[in-house]
Amino acid sequence: MQLKVPASFKADETMQLRVPPEGIPGSEDDPDISGQSSISGPSIPEERRKGRKAPRPSVRSRLAAAFGPRLAPLVAVLAPYVARLTAFLAPYARRLRPQYPRPGRTGWRRWTPSWRQSLGGVLATLGLSSLFLVVAYAATDVPDDLNTYATQQDNVYFWADGTPMARTGWVQRQAMPLKDIPEDVRWAVLAAENESFYSDPGISFKGISRALFRTLGQGDTQGGSTITQQYVKNVYLNQSQTVRRKFTEAMIALKLDNQMSKDDILEGYLNTSWFGRGTYGIQRAAQAYYGKDVSELNASEAAFLAALLKGAGLYDPTLSSANRARVVERWTWTLDRMVIIGKLSKAERATYRKFPEPLKSNPMYDTGEQSDYLVELASQYAKKSAKIGDKDFDLGGYQIYTTFEKDRETKLTDAVTKARDKALKDDPKNAATAHYGAASVAADGRILAVYGGPDHRTQGYNESNATTVPAGSAFLPFVYAAGLEHGVHKTRDGEATPVTGESVYDGDDDVPVTTPEGPYWDRSGKKVAASNDDDKSYGPISLHRALALSVNTPFMQLGMDTGLDKVRDTAEAAGLLSSSLGAQVPGMTQGSSTPSAIRMASGYSTFAAAGKHTEPYSVRQITHNGSKVPLNLPKPARAVGADTAEAVTSALTDSFRTAHPDAAPDGVQVAGKAGTTQDDKSAWYVGTHKAVSTAVVVYRIDLAKSLEPLPLKGIDGTAEDSVPYGIWSRAMSPLG
């Protein structure tokens, strides 16, 4: 096919060739038209012709299209000024443009830039550096999350007298509000670390320059950081000594200084800094080195703690004589600096001439032995009574002030340890499975001491709180109290008849128990009867004397006459747990219940409190970072009448005097009773002196095999030399 051009076509005109959709006439698609097309080349598939898209405009083109019309008037206005500025600066730019080698110079001067070029280079460097810092500052954000060590705290437990007892947690830290940190302590730290803290912008340009110089020149870093920078390092960054970390620290410090008050930064710094001996924060440091709270520190002690911020390994005087010389020098310098900056008077400075020697070791150190049993009891009580969840409690920061008395705890532990060691020496085979539980409870419910086991690290099971073995005849006072309180029923529907200590019961051995309808039969078809120790019979005997002599048979019948439900109610009201009382059968009156040592001591303390019972508790106060936490402490409630309590106490006093006539001076109020079981599964002694009741139990269990109690086989001693009583008497001594 030939393409004919019209005669009117001009060379500067453009001609478009349009191809109809049905194809070019004369092609092989149209056989009626002969000839060949003069257009050659590969054919394009129909699908590709239809699917092809126009190329997308560039970003520059799109921006020009969007903003060009709007900016055109502004460009038109500024164009003359830009032209003038360019014309003005052009000569200077040509003069500043380096020419190497420099014309008109000889020797080394040919390669030396002119002063104009040098000035231009300096100004350019400063400009670029300033621009870089501005961009870096704008791009740096204060992290939302603190690092792990900045938030983790420990929980600290204190003895009843307020001295530290133990701590729990991986980190020794307790956050303290700045208002609770004395000004002398604050300014001792500021004088030693950053006296311009309240006026600086959060960073020290001199310190940063020195640190960078040291890093680049010798491969390490040097101090010089402000307190704000150190705080940033403590809570947001790691401790790596690199230029990058130092730069990031400075940027965050600048920004943080504009976002937080100086007091808040100082408070955070004092609570997150490391002071050695495993402690973080000024509060833990005060306790670790001086055994006191930070609020009790003076300027001299604070100056010593401030020195530790330079590195406890170099300034703890207990580690070496070199450390001592170093810290004394630093301590002196810090106090002098406080005078210079006007934060310590010369007169007060003159009183601090002697270096304040710290304690040899951290009193917060946890032995892992008896203290762990105390911590276990206190933490359980704290969480339950203060309604603190496990997660919140584990985050730390709690101060738990317990009711445990250190002297009583020491005496009780020593008494049990002595008995345990003696048993292991005399009868190692049976003593290997012997267990000793003990607890002292005050009449107002305070748990004063417990013995939980030989070592919590090897035996987590707390023997003072275990409900494992029967109370035996130590349960009889509760049966006696129930009879005195409620009276007895000789007929099923008759009125209750009052009972006194002088009421007489049959004290013979194996006396069958009766009901208003006749003998009481057990499920096996046998008559139920009580048995006395050594199968001894006493004949008719008063209830008071029966309790004093620990005669069992009268109390089984008294329990049936009073009503086993009344016996159970009385025991629960006095302090025993319902879950430990077991089945409501005649054997309950003989001590088939399995109370813990804590609960037995609590029950006997009810009689010493004139019949009012207070639930035993181990925590008297809780604070969180110095602020009080609401705590529901138990209140006393009437369990039995005052007359009933007095009668029980009188019988227990005679019981103690009868068994141990020379153990206490005349006139001293001491009451107590032994407890034994017919199957020789446990031995008890529970007694009260000066409104403090202590319960001791000895039993045998092979924990490797089962929790079933084993016969004592003499581990508990004899009636004349009872091991439980021996422990009790040593723990309660002197009985005067």
Side-chain angles (χ1 to χ4, degrees):
M1 182 181 69
Q2 295 181 352
L3 181 64
K4 295 183 178 181
V5 179
S8 59
F9 176 81
K10 296 181 180 180
D12 59 338
E13 292 182 358
T14 303
M15 182 181 69
Q16 295 182 351
L17 178 65
R18 300 180 180 274
V19 180
E22 62 273 10
I24 299 174
S27 67
E28 58 184 15
D29 294 330
D30 189 355
D32 296 333
I33 301 176
S34 62
Q36 295 181 354
S37 174
S38 62
I39 300 177
S40 62
S43 63
I44 302 175
E46 184 69 19
E47 294 79 10
R48 291 184 60 185
R49 289 203 302 269
K50 291 182 178 180
R52 176 177 293 173
K53 295 182 179 179
R56 186 175 183 180
S58 66
V59 175
R60 182 177 179 180
S61 301
R62 281 182 284 164
L63 291 176
F67 298 102
R70 300 181 185 179
L71 296 177
L74 179 62
V75 171
V77 172
L78 294 178
Y81 298 100
V82 173
R84 292 178 190 176
L85 181 62
T86 302
F88 175 77
L89 294 176
Y92 296 97
R94 285 194 296 270
R95 295 172 68 182
L96 290 173
R97 184 179 61 190
Q99 297 181 18
Y100 291 98
R102 290 177 62 194
R105 298 289 189 274
T106 60
W108 61 269
R109 292 182 178 84
R110 299 175 62 199
W111 305 98
T112 305
S114 68
W115 68 269
R116 294 183 182 87
Q117 294 168 343
S118 300
L119 178 61
V122 170
L123 293 177
T125 301
L126 290 176
L128 291 174
S129 299
S130 300
L131 179 62
F132 172 74
L133 291 175
V134 170
V135 173
Y137 178 84
T140 301
D141 293 324
V142 176
D144 294 328
D145 298 327
L146 305 183
N147 64 38
T148 304
Y149 285 103
T151 55
Q152 191 174 4
Q153 300 185 63
D154 57 359
N155 292 324
V156 184
Y157 299 78
F158 298 88
W159 294 105
D161 62 2
T163 57
M165 180 183 77
R167 68 174 184 85
T168 59
W170 293 104
V171 175
Q172 289 193 49
R173 178 189 284 118
Q174 176 194 340
M176 292 294 289
L178 192 65
K179 63 181 179 63
D180 294 336
I181 302 175
E183 286 198 13
D184 280 349
V185 177
R186 302 183 217 170
W187 280 105
V189 172
L190 292 175
E193 292 292 304
N194 185 191
E195 64 185 53
S196 63
F197 169 73
Y198 280 101
S199 59
D200 65 39
I203 64 173
S204 167
F205 294 101
K206 180 179 178 182
I208 291 175
S209 300
R210 183 169 65 248
L212 290 175
F213 174 76
R214 292 279 295 178
T215 301
L216 297 173
Q218 299 184 20
D220 60 358
T221 59
Q222 182 170 312
S225 300
T226 64
I227 278 179
T228 306
Q229 290 175 260
Q230 294 181 57
Y231 173 63
V232 167
K233 180 177 66 175
N234 289 344
V235 303
Y236 296 118
L237 306 175
N238 55 44
Q239 305 298 312
S240 63
Q241 301 290 333
T242 63
V243 174
R244 181 178 180 181
R245 200 272 298 156
K246 197 75 177 176
F247 181 79
T248 304
E249 171 192 300
M251 290 298 101
I252 296 177
L254 277 171
K255 188 159 283 189
L256 196 69
D257 194 72
N258 291 325
Q259 295 180 2
M260 289 178 66
S261 70
K262 289 288 189 178
D263 281 349
D264 287 343
I265 293 173
L266 180 60
E267 177 182 307
Y269 172 73
L270 292 174
N271 284 321
T272 57
S273 295
W274 184 66
F275 287 85
R277 295 193 179 182
T279 63
Y280 288 82
I282 193 73
Q283 168 73 346
R284 281 292 169 271
Q287 293 168 341
Y289 289 93
Y290 290 108
K292 59 176 71 172
D293 286 344
V294 65
S295 60
E296 301 171 356
L297 293 177
N298 58 37
S300 177
E301 294 164 336
F304 162 72
L305 294 181
L308 296 173
L309 292 168
K310 285 294 182 185
L314 296 174
Y315 290 92
D316 186 345
T318 62
L319 299 180
S320 69
S321 58
N323 275 17
R324 192 180 192 286
R326 193 180 294 117
V327 76
V328 169
E329 180 181 357
R330 181 77 178 176
W331 166 78
T332 303
W333 177 85
T334 300
L335 289 175
D336 291 342
R337 291 298 304 168
M338 292 180 70
V339 174
I340 292 173
I341 65 177
K343 297 304 177 181
L344 187 67
S345 68
K346 291 184 178 180
E348 187 176 1
R349 172 65 182 92
T351 63
Y352 300 133
R353 295 299 178 190
K354 184 179 179 182
F355 178 70
E357 297 288 349
L359 300 173
K360 296 297 183 183
S361 61
N362 187 350
M364 305 298 293
Y365 176 70
D366 182 11
T367 64
E369 297 178 357
Q370 281 304 306
S371 62
D372 278 2
Y373 294 110
L374 305 182
V375 164
E376 181 182 51
L377 288 173
S379 62
Q380 290 173 353
Y381 186 85
K383 288 187 283 188
K384 180 179 179 181
S385 299
K387 296 180 173 60
I388 304 172
D390 288 340
K391 181 179 179 181
D392 289 338
F393 196 79
D394 289 344
L395 287 176
Y398 289 95
Q399 299 79 52
I400 297 96
Y401 296 86
T402 73
T403 59
F404 304 124
E405 295 183 356
K406 189 173 185 179
D407 290 343
R408 285 188 182 274
E409 181 64 31
T410 299
K411 290 174 68 174
L412 183 60
T413 301
D414 289 347
V416 177
T417 301
K418 183 177 180 180
R420 183 188 293 274
D421 291 345
K422 185 176 185 302
L424 288 170
K425 181 181 178 181
D426 296 343
D427 188 358
K429 181 179 178 180
N430 290 316
T433 55
H435 295 267
Y436 304 77
S440 294
V441 179
D444 59 6
R446 290 174 296 126
I447 303 176
L448 305 181
V450 301
Y451 180 85
D455 190 335
H456 190 273
R457 293 169 296 189
T458 57
Q459 180 189 293
Y461 146 72
N462 189 337
E463 293 167 348
S464 72
N465 203 30
T467 56
T468 307
V469 294
S473 54
F475 186 81
L476 298 184
F478 302 106
V479 183
Y480 184 35
L484 295 174
E485 191 74 7
H486 300 286
V488 297
H489 294 266
K490 294 299 183 181
T491 60
R492 186 64 65 188
D493 299 321
E495 293 288 333
T497 303
V499 169
T500 68
E502 300 306 315
S503 298
V504 177
Y505 271 75
D506 191 341
D508 285 343
D509 187 52
D510 290 332
V511 176
V513 177
T514 62
T515 68
E517 290 77 25
Y520 185 93
W521 304 82
D522 63 16
R523 291 184 178 181
S524 63
K526 295 181 180 179
K527 291 182 179 180
V528 175
S531 178
N532 294 324
D533 291 343
D534 299 326
D535 298 329
K536 186 176 180 180
S537 294
Y538 293 84
I541 189 173
S542 69
L543 292 175
H544 178 98
R545 183 165 176 75
L547 184 59
L549 298 179
S550 195
V551 181
N552 297 331
T553 51
F555 292 101
M556 181 175 280
Q557 186 60 54
L558 176 64
M560 295 298 294
D561 294 345
T562 302
L564 296 178
D565 57 334
K566 297 293 192 298
V567 174
R568 172 184 282 273
D569 292 345
T570 300
E572 286 185 32
L576 272 60
L577 295 177
S578 175
S579 58
S580 71
L581 292 176
Q584 195 166 291
V585 296
M588 183 176 69
T589 62
Q590 301 299 291
S592 62
S593 59
T594 57
S596 66
I598 292 175
R599 285 292 170 172
M600 280 297 280
S602 176
Y604 274 55
S605 71
T606 298
F607 303 129
K612 287 187 176 182
H613 171 67
T614 304
E615 277 291 288
Y617 65 97
S618 56
V619 177
R620 58 185 176 83
Q621 180 182 332
I622 302 175
T623 60
H624 187 257
N625 294 335
S627 300
K628 279 192 174 183
V629 176
L631 180 66
N632 295 323
L633 292 179
K635 295 189 173 10
R638 175 64 61 186
V640 296
D643 291 343
T644 297
E646 184 179 358
V648 174
T649 300
S650 175
L652 291 175
T653 300
D654 286 351
S655 176
F656 174 80
R657 294 289 179 181
T658 301
H660 312 283
D662 302 322
D666 293 338
V668 174
Q669 183 70 42
V670 183
K673 186 183 185 314
T676 57
T677 58
Q678 293 182 8
D679 53 8
D680 192 35
K681 295 293 180 66
S682 63
W684 291 79
Y685 195 87
V686 190
T688 304
H689 174 52
K690 291 184 177 178
V692 175
S693 296
T694 297
V696 179
V697 60
V698 179
Y699 57 98
R700 287 181 64 232
I701 288 180
D702 189 345
L703 294 174
K705 295 181 178 179
S706 73
L707 292 178
E708 185 64 29
L710 303 172
L712 287 168
K713 295 186 176 180
I715 291 296
D716 59 325
T718 63
E720 294 74 22
D721 185 19
S722 166
V723 170
Y725 173 76
I727 294 172
W728 181 90
S729 62
R730 283 190 292 272
M732 299 292 282
S733 177
L735 297 175

